[in-house]
């Protein structure tokens, strides 16, 4: 299923809902909207927009709608990363890798994960 792209705020909202499970609009307005200065109506509009883009679904329970992510958080993040690489970096990951190489805060765990990913990429190239 093809999904429309989403913005940073929508991505943050999806991540919040995914972690919350099946929250109501009111619960999201309090937990996500209030700390960001967003009115309940704005949160509802964002949630309905995400539902229209097939990122959220809703079910009525106890007289209110409960929302749930239709894709796992990893899938949503992967889509946002692909969008960033395509739009901002014109399809090249080299600027991102250069950015990482200049960061002072890459942990040992992150570095090990990056090395494992590079090994996977090399392995796939050799197979193909």
């Amino acid at each position: 299923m093809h999904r429309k792209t989403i913005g940073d705020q929508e991505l943050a909202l999806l991540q919040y809902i995914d972690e919350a499970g099946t929250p109501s609009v009111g619960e999201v307005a309090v937990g996500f909207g209030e700390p960001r200065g967003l009115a309940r109506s704005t949160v509802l509009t964002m949630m309905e927009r995400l539902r229209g883009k097939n990122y959220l679904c809703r079910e009525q329970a106890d007289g209110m709608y409960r929302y749930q992510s239709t894709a796992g958080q990893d899938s949503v993040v992967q889509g946002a990363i692909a969008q960033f690489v395509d739009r901002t970096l014109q399809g090249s990951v080299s600027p991102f890798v250069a950015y990482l190489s200049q960061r002072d805060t890459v942990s040992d765990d992150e570095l090990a994960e990056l090395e494992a990913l590079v090994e996977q990429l090399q392995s796939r190239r050799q197979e193909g």
Side-chain angles (χ1 to χ4, degrees), residues 4-62:
K4 293 183 180 180
T5 58
I6 62 173
D8 293 344
Q9 183 120 297
E10 289 175 319
L11 178 60
L13 175 59
L14 269 177
Q15 290 173 320
Y16 178 87
I17 291 170
D18 199 46
E19 290 171 7
T22 57
S24 68
V25 172
E27 292 165 349
V28 175
V30 170
F32 178 84
E34 285 182 9
R36 291 167 174 79
L38 301 175
R40 184 184 191 282
S41 59
T42 302
V43 171
L44 174 59
T45 299
M46 288 175 64
M47 291 172 71
E48 284 300 309
R49 190 176 305 132
L50 287 168
R51 195 167 71 91
K53 293 179 181 181
N54 296 316
Y55 283 98
L56 290 178
C57 60
R58 71 179 188 189
E59 282 190 20
Q60 196 163 11
D62 300 324

Side-chain angles (χ1 to χ4, degrees), residues 4 17 23 33 35 60 71 73 85 92 105 107 125:
K4 293 183 180 180
I17 291 170
Q60 196 163 11
Q73 187 171 340
V85 170
S92 174
T105 58
S107 71
R125 287 188 77 189

Side-chain angles (χ1 to χ4, degrees), residues 28-116:
V28 175
V30 170
F32 178 84
E34 285 182 9
R36 291 167 174 79
L38 301 175
R40 184 184 191 282
S41 59
T42 302
V43 171
L44 174 59
T45 299
M46 288 175 64
M47 291 172 71
E48 284 300 309
R49 190 176 305 132
L50 287 168
R51 195 167 71 91
K53 293 179 181 181
N54 296 316
Y55 283 98
L56 290 178
C57 60
R58 71 179 188 189
E59 282 190 20
Q60 196 163 11
D62 300 324
M64 71 176 72
Y65 285 112
R66 297 230 163 246
Y67 290 75
Q68 184 173 0
S69 174
T70 59
Q73 187 171 340
D74 289 345
S75 174
V76 172
V77 171
Q78 287 290 329
I81 291 168
Q83 178 182 334
F84 173 76
V85 170
D86 290 345
R87 287 186 174 178
T88 307
L89 303 179
Q90 288 76 45
S92 174
V93 295
S94 295
F96 180 69
V97 174
Y99 162 77
L100 286 177
S101 72
Q102 296 170 4
R103 278 184 61 192
D104 293 334
T105 58
V106 176
S107 71
D108 290 341
D109 288 343
E110 289 171 321
L111 186 57
E113 189 174 347
L114 288 169
E115 288 170 343

